[in-house]
Amino acid sequence: MKRTRYKEIETLLKVKIQHGVLKVGDYLPSENELCTNFSITRTTVRKALDNLLKEGYIEKKHGKGSLVKERRHSLGLLNVKGFSEAVGMNVNTIFLQEPAKREWSTTTSFRPSENELKANSLHFEQLRCVGDDPVMLENNWFADLELKNIIGQEFVEGSFFKTLSQKYLIEVTGSEQELRAEYADERTAGYLKIEPGTPILHISVKFHTNKSNLNIYSELYCNTMKYPIGNSYHL
Amino acid sequence: MKRTRYKEIETLLKVKIQHGVLKVGDYLPSENELCTNFSITRTTVRKALDNLLKEGYIEKKHGKGSLVKERRHSLGLLNVKGFSEAVGMNVNTIFLQEPAKREWSTTTSFRPSENELKANSLHFEQLRCVGDDPVMLENNWFADLELKNIIGQEFVEGSFFKTLSQKYLIEVTGSEQELRAEYADERTAGYLKIEPGTPILHISVKFHTNKSNLNIYSELYCNTMKYPIGNSYHL
DNA sequence: TAGTGGTCTAGACCACGGT
DNA sequence: CCGTGGTCTAGACCACTAG
């Protein structure tokens, strides 16, 4: 990757945001300040800010400044309505299996690469609830290559992806998904407190990250009766 | 909306692409040519091209030029694998109900605005097939406000959205979706050639367009057994 | 070597927000 | 009024592609 002036400023600001030096709602230094602080022109500063804007880190207000935005760490991914998106709702995450070395699943829709399969697999399983209602069973696998010491560590604000971003500076750069409507099996139905055979939404995801040897493979089983899955896209 | 030089160039090029004057694979005039042709500087030209790039109309090749890209008119929306995305597969669309004035549905997940409800509703229903397999039942509603003469008109390449883009210069700017796994009802099951009670994926979509009084409300019912719904997101 | 896009400078004027 | 971001000019040098 070529090093450029705007990329410097961009990552510098991004790191400050990720590490919480710049918090949500904080105003960034003005474009002119950045110009003088880093001895560059506004064109270059604006290129850096444009990229942060595109990636959803900041928001610009004409006549006021640029401020740090709540990062919709979704990026075209699916969110459970009243879950990641809802504010003030009573959301709980229960670990059914804490992160640990376990076998790669043979039933994921997306097959890990040979490199990944050669490495050990880390896995964890969570049950996502809205209040007392369990709505999603979530299984995650990833190769034990990049995330040193993640086992036993608390997740930042209970979120795996926030932990990746803040502790390891790893960002999700894309994803592939497959959606299916299926009958719930015994185990899944048990955790979701529904009758076996009820239709559930099965989502298989492969998350790509900025580390080429790190992908996260997720299998989600959702009870969409009470809480349908929602997502939105704009511009 | 403020008129700017870069917006001029941008829409001018966009219209040429949409009308097929510039075809997929064609190279745009070089940045320097555009500069002299329109008497503007490269900064402005590049701003225009950046926007086209962001919207997926073009692709840039360092050292060669900018060329028109196959537009994935998906934008974070869902595609049926082996459907919009598949090439060379035997895809058929059957009209169950041709576009015509019909009542607004009372069962769509997203409620049309009062303005839209006051206007007449246009509706059409399609059955999407891969080969002889019906895989998706699709219902669409929209207010009869912007699309003059769309009734009785053939769709461009059989696609409603291509028609919007090329005949009316209307672009989808965003969408909201809700996903549910449900039991197939009698009618849906009949068309999809499955047993009533089979799990199907129900997708409700509200498409936003660059015309503020035009939204498209879609209800999709998918048999995901043989062809799961796939989508991908990058960068 | 000529032409393309990628980066960057050093200015300018405008539109918006708040004092 | 001043400071902010939004638009735009007129250059420059570099890196990549291809004949």
Side-chain angles (χ1 to χ4, degrees):
Chain A
M1 218 34 154
K2 253 209 75 252
R3 276 177 50 89
T4 55
R5 308 284 275 125
Y6 70 83
K7 201 76 192 167
E8 269 181 51
I9 314 299
E10 186 189 326
T11 53
L12 194 145
L13 289 171
K14 195 187 290 187
V15 167
K16 281 199 179 183
I17 293 172
Q18 288 170 337
H19 284 177
V21 181
L22 288 166
K23 294 180 185 52
V24 171
D26 286 356
Y27 276 93
L28 270 57
S30 79
E31 298 183 354
N32 282 317
E33 282 181 84
L34 290 170
C35 289
T36 56
N37 290 347
F38 296 98
S39 305
I40 51 179
T41 52
R42 249 185 92 204
T43 314
T44 309
V45 166
R46 284 179 63 78
K47 171 84 171 169
L49 294 185
D50 276 355
N51 286 341
L52 292 178
L53 189 67
K54 204 160 51 182
E55 293 172 42
Y57 284 96
I58 63 170
E59 187 177 349
K60 289 186 157 205
K61 305 264 196 187
H62 192 172
K64 298 194 68 179
S66 304
L67 49 88
V68 179
K69 210 173 84 173
E70 179 61 60
R71 187 115 192 280
R72 32 187 321 103
H73 65 97
S74 52
L75 300 176
L77 315 177
L78 300 166
N79 295 322
V80 178
K81 218 177 210 177
F83 217 149
S84 337
E85 279 176 302
V87 201
M89 260 185 114
N90 191 13
V91 174
N92 298 308
T93 301
I94 300 165
F95 271 101
L96 300 180
Q97 298 186 66
E98 296 280 343
K101 283 190 192 181
R102 296 194 186 89
E103 291 296 307
W104 284 102
S105 166
T106 53
T107 57
T108 53
S109 286
F110 299 99
R111 188 181 156 76
S113 70
E114 292 305 321
N115 265 339
E116 290 175 305
L117 288 173
K118 267 186 285 186
N120 282 310
S121 154
L122 299 183
H123 166 265
F124 62 96
E125 183 176 43
Q126 297 176 309
L127 185 64
R128 307 283 202 161
C129 307
V130 173
D132 290 331
D133 297 333
V135 294
M136 184 165 87
L137 184 67
E138 184 180 330
N139 274 279
N140 301 283
W141 291 266
F142 52 93
D144 186 15
L145 291 169
E146 291 283 346
L147 306 176
K148 299 302 167 202
N149 309 318
I150 194 150
I151 291 183
Q153 201 178 124
E154 279 269 322
F155 286 170
V156 175
E157 296 174 41
S159 162
F160 178 58
F161 289 103
K162 278 196 179 170
T163 309
L164 289 188
S165 172
Q166 294 186 22
K167 301 279 185 194
Y168 299 90
L169 296 184
I170 289 173
E171 297 292 328
V172 170
T173 54
S175 70
E176 301 165 70
Q177 304 185 20
E178 277 191 9
L179 310 180
R180 292 179 187 77
E182 293 177 351
Y183 292 114
D185 63 24
E186 293 272 350
R187 179 173 185 276
T188 308
Y191 281 118
L192 294 178
K193 291 186 188 162
I194 53 179
E195 288 299 313
T198 307
I200 54 169
L201 178 57
H202 175 186
I203 309 181
S204 304
V205 195
K206 173 180 181 178
F207 292 101
H208 305 256
T209 70
N210 50 358
K211 303 286 183 184
S212 62
N213 56 354
L214 181 65
N215 300 295
I216 295 109
Y217 300 86
S218 300
E219 299 290 326
L220 317 175
Y221 299 90
C222 312
N223 175 11
T224 55
M225 292 297 177
K226 211 164 170 181
Y227 302 97
I229 300 285
N231 89 335
S232 66
Y233 174 81
H234 57 283
L235 227 139
Chain B
M1 217 36 153
K2 252 204 80 257
R3 277 177 51 88
T4 56
R5 308 284 276 125
Y6 71 82
K7 202 74 191 168
E8 270 182 51
I9 315 299
E10 187 189 326
T11 53
L12 193 146
L13 288 170
K14 195 187 289 186
V15 166
K16 282 200 179 183
I17 292 172
Q18 288 170 336
H19 284 178
V21 181
L22 288 165
K23 294 180 186 52
V24 171
D26 285 357
Y27 276 93
L28 269 58
S30 79
E31 297 184 353
N32 283 318
E33 281 182 84
L34 290 170
C35 288
T36 57
N37 290 348
F38 295 98
S39 305
I40 52 179
T41 53
R42 250 185 93 204
T43 314
T44 309
V45 165
R46 284 179 62 80
K47 172 84 171 170
L49 294 185
D50 276 356
N51 286 340
L52 292 177
L53 189 67
K54 203 160 51 182
E55 293 172 42
Y57 285 96
I58 63 169
E59 187 177 349
K60 288 186 159 205
K61 305 266 197 185
H62 193 172
K64 298 192 70 179
S66 304
L67 49 86
V68 179
K69 209 173 87 172
E70 180 61 59
R71 187 117 191 277
R72 32 187 323 106
H73 67 96
S74 51
L75 299 174
L77 317 176
L78 300 165
N79 295 323
V80 177
K81 217 177 210 176
F83 216 150
S84 339
E85 278 177 303
V87 201
M89 261 184 115
N90 190 14
V91 174
N92 298 308
T93 300
I94 300 165
F95 270 101
L96 300 179
Q97 297 186 67
E98 296 280 343
K101 284 189 192 180
R102 295 194 186 88
E103 291 296 306
W104 284 102
S105 166
T106 54
T107 57
T108 53
S109 286
F110 299 98
R111 188 181 157 75
S113 70
E114 292 305 321
N115 266 339
E116 289 175 305
L117 289 173
K118 267 186 284 185
N120 282 309
S121 154
L122 299 183
H123 166 266
F124 63 94
E125 183 177 43
Q126 297 176 309
L127 185 64
R128 307 283 201 161
C129 307
V130 173
D132 291 331
D133 297 334
V135 295
M136 184 164 87
L137 184 68
E138 182 180 332
N139 274 279
N140 301 283
W141 291 266
F142 51 94
D144 185 15
L145 292 169
E146 291 283 345
L147 307 176
K148 300 302 166 201
N149 310 318
I150 194 152
I151 291 183
Q153 202 178 124
E154 279 269 321
F155 285 171
V156 175
E157 298 175 40
S159 162
F160 178 58
F161 288 103
K162 278 196 180 172
T163 309
L164 288 188
S165 172
Q166 294 186 21
K167 301 280 186 192
Y168 299 89
L169 296 183
I170 289 173
E171 297 291 329
V172 171
T173 54
S175 71
E176 301 165 68
Q177 304 185 20
E178 277 191 10
L179 310 181
R180 292 179 187 78
E182 294 177 350
Y183 293 113
D185 63 24
E186 293 271 350
R187 179 172 185 275
T188 308
Y191 281 118
L192 294 177
K193 291 185 187 162
I194 53 180
E195 288 299 313
T198 307
I200 54 169
L201 177 55
H202 176 185
I203 309 181
S204 304
V205 194
K206 174 180 180 177
F207 292 100
H208 305 256
T209 70
N210 49 358
K211 303 285 181 183
S212 63
N213 56 353
L214 181 66
N215 300 294
I216 294 108
Y217 299 87
S218 300
E219 298 290 327
L220 317 175
Y221 299 90
C222 312
N223 175 12
T224 54
M225 293 297 177
K226 210 164 172 180
Y227 302 96
I229 300 284
N231 89 337
S232 68
Y233 174 82
H234 56 283
L235 226 137

